[in-house]
Amino acid sequence: MVNIQEQIELFIKKCRVKNLNVTPQRLTIYRALLSDGSHPNPDAIHKKIIQEHPTISFSTVYKTLEAFERTGIISLVNNLHDTMRYDPITKQHHHIICVKCKKIIDVFDEELDFIKIPQSVTDGNRLLGFKVHFNVICSNCRE
Amino acid sequence: MVNIQEQIELFIKKCRVKNLNVTPQRLTIYRALLSDGSHPNPDAIHKKIIQEHPTISFSTVYKTLEAFERTGIISLVNNLHDTMRYDPITKQHHHIICVKCKKIIDVFDEELDFIKIPQSVTDGNRLLGFKVHFNVICSNCRE
DNA sequence: TATTAGTTAATAATAATTATTAATTAAAAA
DNA sequence: TTTTTAATTAATAATTATTATTAACTAATA
């Protein structure tokens, strides 16, 4: 789906623009992330990297990913990772999420419930359900 | 959107079915969750409850929410909360998420990029983007 | 080369969650 | 009703992921 070499070159360009030196560690971390389509967590990335780069530390992985994210080079998939959030309503609905204050608001909309499911989703997987996440900055959060 | 009284009665029924005693603590926790449309985290729920129920402990809140979730009475919004997950691809795409092993697979599908945005989403909020999450059990995880 | 800023690695600190245990309460049996 | 048993709760300890701090190191610049 994506050309690795192309992505790496793009990555290097982005770093230049954002004034991030392209260090061996950073390249390694980016490559590890790119090569693993499952979106590994910092721990998994570190484990993967440690072989070709035995002295790299955990905090480097964290700080690096954070720097990439902050500058828009990569994105954090689960911006609600920091704490558990529960939903008392179990019937199909969707969510508006404020990326600043992390509040989650329900969206009930019949139309969204009937989107066309891509082939790849059901291919080998048992589909349990889906949800649309709308990332917003809410009225309270834009000062 | 949802009738509170109705939901509470439904909750009580569900507890019976799942062999969970309907204790004051559980009712209080469920009500706190239901009454706050923002999907509060355990800490916020605890803070809210402590007034009318000053002896309730943190671990009770955690265990109770966990029990509700386990039995399907409520659902965990962010099943990827446990650890950070990054995405090197920044162009619009969507995600298949295995609820067991938590792996995240990209879905590129033009059609999904053009869903109709409900009124309530843009109402007061600045929309940054959206993503469809397909929750599945992947081939590896159904033993 | 000297200076400076940026980066890394090691370590300590924090915060959220989970596990453990004892006390309490509720349900079931006698 | 009393006794027994199981479920629930509260308090506490332990664990894990993440963040902050700091000193050593490296790269860029003057």
Side-chain angles (χ1 to χ4, degrees), chain A residues 21 23 25-26 55 59-60 83-84:
Chain A
N21 297 337
T23 65
Q25 287 91 337
R26 283 177 176 167
T55 71
S59 57
T60 300
T83 177
M84 295 178 136

Side-chain angles (χ1 to χ4, degrees), chain B residues 21 23 25-26 55-57 59-60 82-84:
Chain B
N21 297 337
T23 65
Q25 288 91 337
R26 284 179 175 165
T55 73
I56 205 163
S57 82
S59 57
T60 300
D82 47 328
T83 177
M84 293 178 137

Side-chain angles (χ1 to χ4, degrees), chain A residues 110-122:
Chain A
E110 293 278 320
E111 292 205 44
L112 293 177
D113 302 347
F114 297 104
I115 64 174
K116 186 159 145 244
I117 312 292
Q119 175 77 52
S120 66
V121 171
T122 47

